[in-house]
Amino acid sequence: MNSVSTSAFSNLFHALMISSSSDAEPSEDLEYLLQLVRRPPSISALKRAQCILLWKHCALPPRQIAHLLGWSPGTVHNLLSAYRKAGPAICHAHIRGGRTHAYLTAEREQRLLKSFLDRARSTGFLDVKSLHAAYEHLVGHRCAASTIYRLVHRHGQAGKLPRKPLGR
Protein backbone atom coordinates (compact mmCIF):
# COMPACT_ATOMS: atom_id res chain seq x y z
CA MET A 1 0.00 0.00 0.00
CA ASN A 2 1.41 3.41 -0.84
CA SER A 3 1.73 6.31 1.61
CA VAL A 4 -1.24 8.18 0.11
CA SER A 5 -3.65 5.33 0.73
CA THR A 6 -2.16 4.68 4.18
CA SER A 7 -2.75 8.28 5.24
CA ALA A 8 -6.21 8.20 3.67
CA PHE A 9 -7.09 5.14 5.74
CA SER A 10 -5.69 6.72 8.86
CA ASN A 11 -7.81 9.86 8.26
CA LEU A 12 -10.85 7.71 7.51
CA PHE A 13 -10.34 5.64 10.64
CA HIS A 14 -9.99 8.80 12.75
CA ALA A 15 -13.17 10.27 11.25
CA LEU A 16 -15.08 7.04 11.87
CA MET A 17 -13.88 6.89 15.47
CA ILE A 18 -15.09 10.46 16.09
CA SER A 19 -18.44 9.83 14.41
CA SER A 20 -19.00 6.54 16.24
CA SER A 21 -18.26 8.12 19.63
CA SER A 22 -20.58 11.08 18.96
CA ASP A 23 -23.50 9.02 17.60
CA ALA A 24 -26.18 8.12 20.10
CA GLU A 25 -26.48 4.59 18.77
CA PRO A 26 -23.66 3.43 16.48
CA SER A 27 -24.59 0.45 14.36
CA GLU A 28 -23.39 -2.99 15.38
CA ASP A 29 -21.79 -3.41 11.97
CA LEU A 30 -19.79 -0.22 12.38
CA GLU A 31 -18.52 -1.24 15.82
CA TYR A 32 -17.63 -4.71 14.57
CA LEU A 33 -15.80 -3.38 11.51
CA LEU A 34 -13.93 -0.75 13.55
CA GLN A 35 -12.84 -3.47 15.97
CA LEU A 36 -11.51 -5.47 13.01
CA VAL A 37 -9.54 -2.45 11.82
CA ARG A 38 -8.13 -1.84 15.32
CA ARG A 39 -7.02 -5.44 15.86
CA PRO A 40 -7.18 -7.33 12.59
CA PRO A 41 -6.77 -11.12 12.81
CA SER A 42 -5.30 -11.14 9.29
CA ILE A 43 -4.44 -8.82 6.44
CA SER A 44 -7.37 -10.08 4.37
CA ALA A 45 -9.82 -9.39 7.24
CA LEU A 46 -8.38 -5.88 7.58
CA LYS A 47 -8.72 -5.11 3.87
CA ARG A 48 -12.24 -6.51 3.74
CA ALA A 49 -13.28 -4.41 6.75
CA GLN A 50 -11.70 -1.34 5.15
CA CYS A 51 -13.55 -2.02 1.91
CA ILE A 52 -16.91 -2.26 3.67
CA LEU A 53 -16.22 0.83 5.79
CA LEU A 54 -15.24 2.86 2.74
CA TRP A 55 -18.38 1.82 0.93
CA LYS A 56 -20.98 1.86 3.69
CA HIS A 57 -19.85 4.67 5.95
CA CYS A 58 -17.90 6.93 3.57
CA ALA A 59 -20.07 6.38 0.48
CA LEU A 60 -17.08 5.89 -1.81
CA PRO A 61 -17.80 4.25 -5.15
CA PRO A 62 -16.40 0.74 -5.76
CA ARG A 63 -13.89 2.00 -8.37
CA GLN A 64 -12.33 4.39 -5.87
CA ILE A 65 -12.30 1.73 -3.15
CA ALA A 66 -10.59 -0.66 -5.57
CA HIS A 67 -7.95 1.96 -6.32
CA LEU A 68 -7.30 2.62 -2.62
CA LEU A 69 -7.04 -1.08 -1.74
CA GLY A 70 -5.13 -2.12 -4.85
CA TRP A 71 -7.93 -4.45 -5.89
CA SER A 72 -9.91 -4.75 -9.09
CA PRO A 73 -13.41 -3.20 -9.14
CA GLY A 74 -14.86 -6.68 -9.64
CA THR A 75 -13.30 -7.87 -6.39
CA VAL A 76 -14.89 -4.94 -4.55
CA HIS A 77 -18.28 -5.67 -6.13
CA ASN A 78 -18.02 -9.35 -5.18
CA LEU A 79 -17.11 -8.53 -1.58
CA LEU A 80 -19.93 -5.99 -1.24
CA SER A 81 -22.40 -8.49 -2.67
CA ALA A 82 -21.23 -11.09 -0.16
CA TYR A 83 -21.51 -8.49 2.63
CA ARG A 84 -25.12 -7.74 1.69
CA LYS A 85 -25.90 -11.48 1.91
CA ALA A 86 -23.86 -12.53 4.96
CA GLY A 87 -23.15 -9.33 6.87
CA PRO A 88 -19.84 -8.29 8.43
CA ALA A 89 -18.87 -11.89 9.21
CA ILE A 90 -17.71 -12.08 5.58
CA CYS A 91 -14.52 -10.37 6.76
CA HIS A 92 -13.47 -13.64 8.41
CA ALA A 93 -14.60 -15.96 5.62
CA HIS A 94 -12.02 -18.28 4.12
CA ILE A 95 -12.65 -17.78 0.44
CA ARG A 96 -9.70 -19.32 -1.36
CA GLY A 97 -7.29 -22.18 -1.11
CA GLY A 98 -7.52 -25.68 0.21
CA ARG A 99 -7.90 -29.05 -1.43
CA THR A 100 -10.93 -28.24 -3.54
CA HIS A 101 -10.07 -30.58 -6.43
CA ALA A 102 -8.39 -33.49 -4.62
CA TYR A 103 -9.16 -37.06 -5.62
CA LEU A 104 -8.48 -38.34 -2.08
CA THR A 105 -8.52 -36.77 1.35
CA ALA A 106 -5.15 -36.05 2.99
CA GLU A 107 -5.75 -38.92 5.44
CA ARG A 108 -6.44 -41.45 2.66
CA GLU A 109 -3.36 -40.26 0.79
CA GLN A 110 -1.28 -40.70 3.95
CA ARG A 111 -2.61 -44.26 4.49
CA LEU A 112 -1.86 -45.22 0.88
CA LEU A 113 1.61 -43.72 0.98
CA LYS A 114 2.45 -45.29 4.36
CA SER A 115 2.39 -48.85 2.99
CA PHE A 116 4.73 -47.87 0.16
CA LEU A 117 7.03 -45.95 2.51
CA ASP A 118 7.46 -49.03 4.72
CA ARG A 119 8.83 -50.88 1.68
CA ALA A 120 10.92 -47.86 0.67
CA ARG A 121 12.76 -47.95 4.01
CA SER A 122 14.40 -51.25 3.08
CA THR A 123 15.26 -50.35 -0.53
CA GLY A 124 15.88 -46.64 -0.09
CA PHE A 125 13.59 -45.77 -3.01
CA LEU A 126 9.86 -45.48 -3.41
CA ASP A 127 8.29 -47.80 -6.00
CA VAL A 128 6.50 -45.09 -7.91
CA LYS A 129 5.03 -47.35 -10.60
CA SER A 130 3.28 -49.53 -8.02
CA LEU A 131 2.13 -46.46 -6.09
CA HIS A 132 0.75 -45.00 -9.31
CA ALA A 133 -1.18 -48.20 -10.09
CA ALA A 134 -2.56 -48.39 -6.53
CA TYR A 135 -3.59 -44.74 -6.64
CA GLU A 136 -5.40 -45.16 -9.96
CA HIS A 137 -7.16 -48.27 -8.62
CA LEU A 138 -8.25 -46.35 -5.52
CA VAL A 139 -9.64 -43.31 -7.38
CA GLY A 140 -11.20 -45.44 -10.12
CA HIS A 141 -9.62 -43.81 -13.16
CA ARG A 142 -6.30 -42.98 -14.74
CA CYS A 143 -4.29 -40.03 -13.53
CA ALA A 144 -1.14 -38.27 -14.64
CA ALA A 145 2.26 -39.21 -13.26
CA SER A 146 2.60 -35.65 -11.98
CA THR A 147 -0.28 -36.36 -9.59
CA ILE A 148 1.81 -39.05 -7.91
CA TYR A 149 4.93 -36.89 -7.75
CA ARG A 150 2.92 -34.03 -6.20
CA LEU A 151 1.38 -36.45 -3.68
CA VAL A 152 4.82 -37.71 -2.63
CA HIS A 153 6.18 -34.17 -2.41
CA ARG A 154 3.11 -32.95 -0.46
CA HIS A 155 3.80 -35.60 2.19
CA GLY A 156 7.48 -34.69 2.43
CA GLN A 157 8.88 -37.86 0.87
CA ALA A 158 10.41 -36.45 -2.31
CA GLY A 159 13.90 -37.57 -1.24
CA LYS A 160 12.85 -41.21 -1.56
CA LEU A 161 11.97 -40.90 -5.25
CA PRO A 162 14.10 -42.56 -7.91
CA ARG A 163 15.99 -40.20 -10.17
CA LYS A 164 14.48 -41.63 -13.36
CA PRO A 165 10.95 -40.23 -13.98
CA LEU A 166 7.92 -42.48 -14.19
CA GLY A 167 6.90 -43.23 -17.77
CA ARG A 168 3.77 -44.69 -19.30
Side-chain angles (χ1 to χ4, degrees), residues 23-36:
D23 289 348
E25 291 181 41
S27 73
E28 286 181 31
D29 283 6
L30 176 63
E31 287 298 320
Y32 181 77
L33 293 168
L34 287 173
Q35 190 63 29
L36 276 178

Side-chain angles (χ1 to χ4, degrees), residues 45-94:
L46 170 66
K47 288 184 95 172
R48 289 174 189 175
Q50 288 173 337
C51 177
I52 295 166
L53 285 170
L54 289 169
W55 173 71
K56 188 170 183 181
H57 298 286
C58 296
L60 289 180
R63 279 199 180 280
Q64 196 170 0
I65 295 170
H67 178 72
L68 284 170
L69 293 175
W71 289 354
S72 72
T75 301
V76 173
H77 282 287
N78 290 340
L79 179 69
L80 296 177
S81 175
Y83 170 74
R84 285 189 286 270
K85 290 176 187 170
I90 195 66
C91 292
H92 291 290
H94 180 72

Side-chain angles (χ1 to χ4, degrees), residues 1 7 22 38 44 49 61 75 108 112 121 123 125 127 135 141-143 167:
M1 202 181 297
S7 65
S22 65
R38 282 186 207 112
S44 65
T75 301
R108 287 187 73 188
L112 173 67
R121 282 188 183 76
T123 63
F125 290 107
D127 183 7
Y135 188 86
H141 57 82
R142 292 179 66 129
C143 63

Side-chain angles (χ1 to χ4, degrees), residues 138-158:
L138 199 58
V139 298
H141 57 82
R142 292 179 66 129
C143 63
S146 62
T147 303
I148 304 305
Y149 286 108
R150 282 185 282 115
L151 177 144
V152 172
H153 187 268
R154 186 168 41 250
H155 291 278
Q157 301 299 323

